Amino acid sequence: MSLLEVTGLRVAAADGRELVRDVSFAVDAGERLGLIGESGSGKSLTALAIMGLLPAGMTVAGGVVLDVPGLGRTEVAGLAEQRLNALRGRAATVVFQEPLTALDPLMRVGRQLAEPLRRRRGLRGAALRAAVRAALTEVRLAEPDRIAKAFPHQISGGQRQRVAIAMALACEPALLIADEPTTALDVTVQADVLALLDALVREKGMALLFISHDLAVVSAVTDRVVVLKDGVAVESGAVADIVRAPAHPYTRSLVASARELDSALDLAP
Amino acid sequence: MRRLTLVSGCVLAGAVVAIAVVSFLWLPYPPEDTSGGRLAPPGLPHLLGTDKLGRDLFTQLMIGARIALGVGLGSVALGGLLGVAAGLVAGFATRWLDDTVAVVLDILIAFPTLLLAMLLVAVRDASLGSAILAIGLAMSAVVARLTRVLVKRVLAQDYITAARTSGTSWRRIVTEHVLPNIWPTLVVNLALQLGLAVLAEASLSYLGLGPPPPNASWGRMLQEAQATVLVAPVGAIAPGVLVVALVVGVNLIADGLRDVADPTRRRTR
């Protein structure tokens, strides 16, 4: 039985336009699945539908089932807000693309990170402060004490995304959804953050749903991919197979353009 | 530069506050004392002279400071409390309720404060309470409209979605994220409203709708001095100067607060 099972997911905008059409996939415990597609292909909406957090006005149909040990099997669609909230964080949580806007600009970083630690582990006072420090150290942030006291605008983009990752990990979810977690970062920072995410998810045995438009990034961290185009899943399979023998024209163009960029590097003197 | 604004505002408004505080402990003459004779010129023993009934002008001014601040702070407390509460409800409400509240607020804002005050005075009586109620109610509509817009803007931010994906409860989202983020703008606006409330109280008293004698009010002092302004100009100038000092002072504080209240605009490190 899978940790997350999405069957025939449909998301429609308020005006009736279908943004996600009949998307199905499953993620097993500890497995890593990539969701790849261009912007507007419905990747992020799929993630929000899993969390039961679609913007007001959007309608969802089809099944999203989370089956987390200790929480039981739960159908997300149509679940009451209160029960959904109990599920969020523990069953799954999200790391967003832009860490500057995903962190509260008026709250010190340490306090934001303390919130999930307080709620999930029931820590208070000195123990909570120590846990915040440990969580910041875990995401390889030097000077955890300075970072904890800083406001989000006072630290760099890479540091902010590390904080966001620490906050997501603090929830100890069974499934981590990473929605373009490295897109807003500098390329050199991107590699570091990716390696960190990869290592921590492996270490904690979490499942990972990695959303990106970048085939190279997705293939570096995931085992299987689902390719989305205009809200439809056009292809899915093991990363190696997809890269070696893409079937759908869109996937072929994805692979070709990734290769082209790669070979440009090889040709460089 | 900003600091200078805040400091000069505090000096101006602080002087009026000091006068009001002293008035509770010490007054040059009892408010009803008319022993100085009518329209005595400034000098000794009456520092600013007396009015047409023989009351000491300086004493009247000091009591007027008390009334101006009392009505100002009272109506800001009332208007702020009602306004923020209504704005929060509207900001979180479903589309239908929100639209209704928005229309009601627009009607309330279009309703002239003076007319509302006259209605209240007709129903109750001309008193300190009526003045606070009238000004506070009129203010609450403006504050509610602002709060509603601010709440909606904050709720659309990524960090709210991020907090929800980790399972933070609505109650905590409001107290930890929404209120702190709307607070800087709100506090500046409330300070501006305090200035407007002082002006409104002066207008109401000028029209005879404010707190009745023996409470001296700057607005009524202006009105009483009007007939003798050519013979004894101090009676009109003195309350006028104090109204301007208080309102300008409060507005300068509002301007200076903008930076202090918002850490992202503070210059640090």
Side-chain angles (χ1 to χ4, degrees):
Chain A
M1 212 162 16
S2 302
L3 179 66
L4 167 70
E5 235 174 285
V6 177
T7 34
L9 180 72
R10 289 169 186 276
V11 178
D15 58 11
R17 228 157 14 98
E18 284 216 305
L19 303 172
V20 175
R21 272 176 290 176
D22 200 17
V23 169
S24 304
F25 58 86
V27 183
D28 289 330
E31 197 199 5
R32 296 134 166 263
L33 178 72
L35 212 51
I36 189 165
E38 58 203 1
S39 47
S41 62
K43 310 178 302 255
S44 298
L45 283 177
T46 306
L48 289 178
I50 294 170
M51 301 304 297
L53 277 176
L54 284 173
M58 288 197 179
T59 49
V60 59
V64 176
V65 175
L66 280 164
D67 188 0
V68 182
L71 289 174
R73 200 178 147 83
T74 325
E75 169 70 58
V76 170
L79 199 62
E81 177 65 26
Q82 206 171 0
R83 293 205 43 212
L84 264 178
N85 221 26
L87 212 60
R88 290 181 195 134
R90 294 182 66 185
T93 194
V94 185
V95 175
F96 289 95
Q97 173 174 349
E98 177 48 80
L100 183 60
T101 56
L103 295 174
D104 188 332
L106 297 191
M107 200 190 278
R108 289 178 201 279
V109 165
R111 193 150 160 237
Q112 306 199 37
L113 180 52
E115 167 69 25
L117 288 169
R118 186 192 60 83
R119 189 155 23 88
R120 193 76 162 90
R121 292 203 232 150
L123 298 172
R124 298 287 185 278
L128 185 56
R129 271 194 298 279
V132 166
R133 199 173 187 287
L136 287 171
T137 314
E138 189 177 40
V139 290
R140 324 268 147 81
L141 278 167
E143 303 179 85
D145 294 317
R146 182 182 72 84
I147 304 268
K149 282 200 207 88
F151 285 104
H153 70 275
Q154 292 168 331
I155 59 179
S156 74
Q159 289 172 328
R160 279 194 286 263
Q161 193 61 294
R162 281 163 197 267
V163 170
I165 291 173
M167 283 175 69
L169 294 178
C171 297
E172 298 174 16
L175 169 69
L176 184 70
I177 302 177
D179 187 358
E180 306 247 13
T182 56
T183 308
L185 303 176
D186 291 343
V187 183
T188 46
V189 180
Q190 186 175 338
D192 287 346
V193 170
L194 215 53
L196 175 75
L197 195 65
D198 188 55
L200 287 175
V201 167
R202 197 178 302 276
E203 201 175 292
K204 294 179 185 289
M206 290 173 188
L208 177 69
L209 179 62
F210 193 96
I211 299 175
S212 178
H213 65 271
D214 191 334
L215 183 65
V217 170
V218 169
S219 59
V221 284
T222 63
D223 319 316
R224 281 194 310 124
V225 286
V226 173
V227 183
L228 281 183
K229 169 115 174 85
D230 300 329
V232 182
V234 294
E235 194 167 357
S236 68
V239 175
D241 296 342
I242 296 264
V243 172
R244 200 180 320 115
H248 193 270
Y250 173 65
T251 322
R252 272 205 289 274
S253 73
L254 264 182
V255 174
S257 57
R259 283 244 159 78
E260 209 167 298
L261 283 173
D262 226 26
S263 58
L265 271 186
D266 293 338
L267 289 176
Chain B
M1 190 57 214
R2 284 283 179 183
R3 199 136 300 267
L4 187 71
T5 318
L6 193 60
V7 168
S8 44
C10 285
V11 167
L12 281 174
V16 177
V17 171
I19 291 174
V21 170
V22 169
S23 81
F24 284 104
L25 307 170
W26 173 83
L27 286 169
Y29 290 89
E32 303 297 319
D33 182 51
T34 52
S35 59
R38 298 177 171 200
L39 296 175
L44 288 174
H46 294 279
L47 200 56
L48 293 177
T50 57
D51 68 4
K52 62 184 180 188
L53 296 175
R55 293 173 297 190
D56 180 52
L57 267 177
F58 197 71
T59 307
Q60 302 270 310
L61 273 183
M62 288 177 75
I63 298 174
R66 213 195 266 179
I67 300 294
L69 282 172
V71 172
L73 293 173
S75 48
V76 165
L78 178 71
L81 222 59
L82 279 180
V84 171
L88 275 176
V89 168
F92 276 99
T94 52
R95 185 83 168 271
W96 182 84
L97 180 60
D98 179 36
D99 286 349
T100 316
V101 173
V103 170
V104 171
L105 288 181
D106 282 341
I107 293 172
L108 277 178
I109 287 167
F111 203 81
T113 311
L114 277 179
L115 202 56
L116 180 67
M118 283 183 199
L119 282 173
L120 273 169
V121 167
V123 175
R124 294 161 53 101
D125 51 349
S127 71
L128 198 63
S130 296
I132 292 177
L133 200 60
I135 299 170
L137 281 180
M139 185 190 300
S140 67
V142 181
V143 174
R145 189 163 67 167
L146 175 70
T147 307
R148 173 178 163 270
V149 174
L150 290 175
V151 167
K152 287 206 170 293
R153 209 174 57 191
V154 168
L155 284 183
Q157 297 289 321
D158 283 353
Y159 54 85
I160 299 294
T161 315
R164 296 190 66 197
T165 58
S166 72
T168 313
S169 66
W170 271 122
R171 197 172 53 82
R172 266 196 101 75
I173 286 180
V174 171
T175 55
E176 296 281 301
H177 297 296
V178 177
L179 284 179
N181 274 286
I182 66 175
W183 191 240
T185 318
L186 216 50
V187 117
V188 171
N189 188 262
L190 285 179
L192 289 173
Q193 295 290 336
L194 176 60
L196 290 175
V198 169
L199 282 178
E201 188 272 330
S203 325
L204 287 183
S205 301
Y206 183 86
L207 293 173
L209 298 170
N215 290 318
S217 152
W218 294 341
R220 202 176 55 248
M221 290 175 72
L222 276 172
Q223 192 260 328
E224 283 170 355
Q226 203 170 5
T228 56
V229 72
L230 292 177
V231 201
V234 179
I237 294 170
V241 166
L242 281 191
V243 168
V244 171
L246 181 54
V247 173
V248 169
V250 163
N251 284 351
L252 287 176
I253 290 177
D255 210 22
L257 271 183
R258 220 180 292 258
D259 283 1
V260 180
D262 184 351
T264 58
R265 292 180 61 166
R266 251 184 251 155
R267 252 176 300 172
T268 38
R269 269 160 241 223

